[in-house]
Amino acid sequence: MAKGKDVRVTVILECTGCVRNGVNVNKASTGISRYITQKNRHNTPNRLELRKFCSYCYKHTIHGEIKK
Protein backbone atom coordinates (compact mmCIF):
# COMPACT_ATOMS: atom_id res chain seq x y z
CA MET A 1 0.00 0.00 0.00
CA ALA A 2 1.65 3.21 -1.17
CA LYS A 3 1.31 6.38 0.85
CA GLY A 4 0.42 9.69 -0.75
CA LYS A 5 1.78 12.98 0.50
CA ASP A 6 2.62 12.68 4.18
CA VAL A 7 1.08 15.18 6.57
CA ARG A 8 4.26 15.38 8.67
CA VAL A 9 7.37 16.45 6.79
CA THR A 10 10.99 16.81 7.94
CA VAL A 11 12.33 20.37 7.68
CA ILE A 12 15.73 21.99 8.25
CA LEU A 13 15.94 25.20 10.27
CA GLU A 14 18.92 27.50 9.61
CA CYS A 15 20.12 30.48 11.64
CA THR A 16 19.08 33.73 9.95
CA GLY A 17 21.68 35.74 11.89
CA CYS A 18 24.65 33.81 10.50
CA VAL A 19 23.27 33.82 6.95
CA ARG A 20 22.40 37.53 6.98
CA ASN A 21 25.83 38.63 8.23
CA GLY A 22 27.64 36.53 5.64
CA VAL A 23 30.53 36.29 8.06
CA ASN A 24 30.25 34.56 11.41
CA VAL A 25 30.36 36.55 14.63
CA ASN A 26 33.04 34.24 16.04
CA LYS A 27 35.98 34.10 13.61
CA ALA A 28 37.49 30.98 15.25
CA SER A 29 34.54 28.73 14.33
CA THR A 30 33.04 28.58 10.86
CA GLY A 31 29.64 27.30 9.90
CA ILE A 32 25.92 27.93 10.19
CA SER A 33 23.71 26.57 12.95
CA ARG A 34 21.10 24.12 11.64
CA TYR A 35 18.37 22.11 13.36
CA ILE A 36 16.26 19.24 11.97
CA THR A 37 12.62 19.01 13.05
CA GLN A 38 9.18 18.01 11.78
CA LYS A 39 6.12 20.09 10.99
CA ASN A 40 2.52 19.33 10.17
CA ARG A 41 1.84 20.46 6.61
CA HIS A 42 -1.88 21.09 7.26
CA ASN A 43 -1.41 23.19 10.42
CA THR A 44 1.64 25.13 9.18
CA PRO A 45 1.45 25.55 5.40
CA ASN A 46 3.88 28.51 5.32
CA ARG A 47 7.55 28.47 6.30
CA LEU A 48 8.36 27.65 9.91
CA GLU A 49 10.42 30.05 12.05
CA LEU A 50 11.52 29.18 15.58
CA ARG A 51 13.73 30.94 18.10
CA LYS A 52 16.61 28.53 18.81
CA PHE A 53 20.13 28.75 20.25
CA CYS A 54 22.89 29.33 17.69
CA SER A 55 26.20 27.85 18.83
CA TYR A 56 28.10 30.10 16.40
CA CYS A 57 26.48 33.40 17.46
CA TYR A 58 26.34 32.29 21.13
CA LYS A 59 22.78 33.61 21.52
CA HIS A 60 19.16 32.78 20.74
CA THR A 61 18.27 33.78 17.17
CA ILE A 62 15.46 33.12 14.72
CA HIS A 63 15.98 29.94 12.70
CA GLY A 64 13.98 29.76 9.47
CA GLU A 65 12.99 26.83 7.30
CA ILE A 66 15.17 26.20 4.22
CA LYS A 67 14.82 23.97 1.19
CA LYS A 68 16.53 20.59 1.19
Side-chain angles (χ1 to χ4, degrees):
M1 183 163 97
K3 288 187 176 182
K5 291 201 169 196
D6 291 333
V7 176
R8 283 207 148 305
V9 292
T10 303
V11 295
I12 301 172
L13 302 176
E14 187 175 82
C15 179
T16 56
C18 293
V19 175
R20 201 170 332 138
N21 291 340
V23 180
N24 295 329
V25 175
N26 185 4
K27 302 292 183 192
S29 63
T30 59
I32 297 173
S33 175
R34 289 187 175 165
Y35 285 92
I36 298 175
T37 187
Q38 291 184 343
K39 77 170 187 177
N40 189 321
R41 189 180 288 151
H42 294 301
N43 295 341
T44 322
N46 50 357
R47 293 200 176 239
L48 185 65
E49 284 189 344
L50 294 175
R51 193 170 154 92
K52 307 283 277 180
F53 182 78
C54 177
S55 57
Y56 298 102
C57 298
Y58 294 110
K59 59 184 176 181
H60 283 86
T61 58
I62 294 176
H63 285 64
E65 180 181 337
I66 61 168
K67 291 183 180 180
K68 288 186 181 180

